[in-house]
Amino acid sequence: MRRSLTSLVAALLAAGTISVILPMSSASAAACATAWNASAAYQGGAVVSYNGHNWSAKWWTQNETPGNAGVWADQGTCGGWTPAPSCNHPNWAAGQWYAVGSIVRYTDGNYYIAVHENPGYDPVISHWYWDPYTCGGTTPTDPPAPGGFVVSEAQFNQMFPSRNTFYSYSGLTAAMSAYPAFAKTGSDTIRKQEAAAFLANVNHETGGLVHIVEQNTANYPHYCDAGQPYGCPAGQAAYYGRGPIQLSWNFNYKAAGDALGINLLADPWRVERESAVAWKTALWYWMTQNGPGTMTAHNAMVNSRGFGETIRSINGSKECGGANPAQVQSRVNAYQRFTQILGVSPGGNLSC
């Protein structure tokens, strides 16, 4: 009697004559290593998990995102990864009350989560109340850099992992309209070097974009030069350091306000209330003021005079010429880190 093919295969399997190789299930994927931490330092050979993959460090690294930096080698998918939550949230509505934890889709297509309850404040203006929110395995709040800015929002966040939400990326890119030559002059290398130099200096001035105003309140009354014909209409103690470059003195508020078409002499508090205004004052100084140096910081970078000249333009003899080498090195360290994130050489003449 002829045996069916099915029964023949069953008999051979039972006898151990043939074996069947089944497809690997997802459960057989490698276990996920400890999750990558932006603030942790990793030696070469360290293995972490990120976005469902294990990654191996080729050399020492810190704050470089796996998948976006060449230091990490992809080791393949790993099990136990939970994908980002789906993007199924209502559209934001002005005037509607939002409790802490509410997630909305803004008119620009990006998502935001309420970190303080609020009566429907605008998420891209009221940064105290809203934070960007990532969902669906993507980062909706990291669109292509506006206006061709050489620093993406992801890179900006990588540079300033602990920044105050007041110092928003959207505030910076909005402020750049006041000085369109900023980080857009010269070669791609020059542009990236200038952006890194600017951000390294404001990083130093604000403790990593954390402090909005000068921390030593005892200094506040010192910044009124009563000899100026316009005096100090906002009060003697009103012109303390504010913003990314810590704008101070009544004459600087007057000059910056005149250049920007904003009456900062009468209302210097706008620099600590409005992100774009704060960034504009920093760009005003960077682009137009020699300070204690011999050239603007912008000219120092676009003419390849080196990062050290930008330090001289900001703090001059207070730091340069051996006056405070630790402060100079702090700025240089940030500049080197930022140029690495942007994938560009820092160039020469880093110190002053």
Side-chain angles (χ1 to χ4, degrees):
M1 179 182 292
R2 295 177 59 192
R3 299 176 66 181
S4 70
L5 180 60
T6 301
S7 61
L8 178 60
V9 170
L12 291 171
L13 284 170
T17 306
I18 64 173
S19 61
V20 176
I21 300 176
L22 298 175
M24 291 180 64
S25 69
S26 59
S28 64
C32 284
T34 303
W36 172 75
N37 184 333
S39 61
Y42 297 98
Q43 301 296 326
V47 178
V48 300
S49 63
Y50 183 77
N51 275 358
H53 284 238
N54 281 332
W55 304 83
S56 176
K58 300 176 185 177
W59 53 81
W60 185 94
T61 178
Q62 184 178 25
N63 199 23
E64 294 182 280
T65 308
N68 292 333
V71 63
W72 291 106
D74 190 349
Q75 302 298 309
T77 58
C78 62
W81 175 61
T82 302
S86 62
C87 297
N88 184 23
H89 303 288
N91 292 328
W92 168 77
Q96 177 177 321
W97 183 264
Y98 290 103
V100 173
S102 299
I103 301 169
V104 297
R105 182 180 187 274
Y106 190 58
T107 54
D108 59 3
N110 299 331
Y111 290 84
Y112 297 85
I113 184 168
V115 291
H116 294 91
E117 61 182 18
N118 67 87
Y121 293 141
D122 191 312
V124 301
I125 296 177
S126 303
H127 303 290
W128 168 254
Y129 297 97
W130 296 95
D131 272 349
Y133 180 76
T134 300
C135 61
T138 61
T139 308
T141 51
D142 187 28
F149 187 34
V150 292
V151 180
S152 71
E153 187 168 5
Q155 290 169 329
F156 179 77
N157 290 334
Q158 187 179 355
M159 292 171 177
F160 304 103
S162 302
R163 67 178 171 83
N164 190 311
T165 54
F166 173 80
Y167 290 117
S168 65
Y169 181 78
S170 59
L172 171 57
T173 54
M176 287 169 55
S177 63
Y179 292 98
F182 169 70
K184 293 182 183 176
T185 304
S187 67
D188 185 62
T189 294
I190 294 288
R191 296 175 187 182
K192 289 180 178 179
Q193 287 174 342
E194 182 181 10
F198 172 77
L199 293 172
N201 279 300
V202 303
N203 171 81
H204 182 83
E205 296 292 324
T206 61
L209 288 187
V210 171
H211 301 302
I212 301 172
V213 301
E214 183 174 352
Q215 297 301 287
N216 187 357
T217 56
N219 281 343
Y220 286 14
H222 299 160
Y223 297 117
C224 173
D225 181 357
Q228 298 294 335
Y230 40 78
C232 300
Q236 181 175 346
Y239 302 100
Y240 50 85
R242 296 179 176 90
I245 210 110
Q246 292 292 283
L247 185 74
S248 55
W249 289 98
N250 56 329
F251 48 80
N252 280 328
Y253 278 89
K254 174 72 162 60
D258 288 349
L260 297 169
I262 306 170
N263 190 355
L264 296 180
L265 185 66
D267 188 3
W269 295 278
R270 286 190 66 176
V271 181
E272 63 186 85
R273 290 198 313 262
E274 302 173 41
S275 179
V277 171
W279 283 114
K280 283 181 180 180
T281 63
L283 289 175
W284 165 79
Y285 190 94
W286 183 267
M287 299 294 293
T288 70
Q289 301 300 298
N290 292 354
T294 60
M295 65 191 77
T296 67
H298 170 71
N299 285 338
M301 295 309 297
V302 301
N303 293 321
S304 298
R305 296 295 296 273
F307 178 71
E309 285 300 321
T310 72
I311 304 174
R312 195 183 308 278
S313 297
I314 291 172
N315 251 7
S317 60
K318 291 182 179 179
E319 294 184 16
C320 297
N324 200 329
Q327 296 294 304
V328 171
Q329 192 59 48
S330 171
R331 295 180 194 264
V332 172
N333 290 345
Y335 175 63
Q336 291 176 317
R337 181 164 63 88
F338 292 173
T339 54
Q340 184 180 31
I341 289 172
L342 296 178
V344 68
S345 164
N349 191 25
L350 301 186
S351 185
C352 65

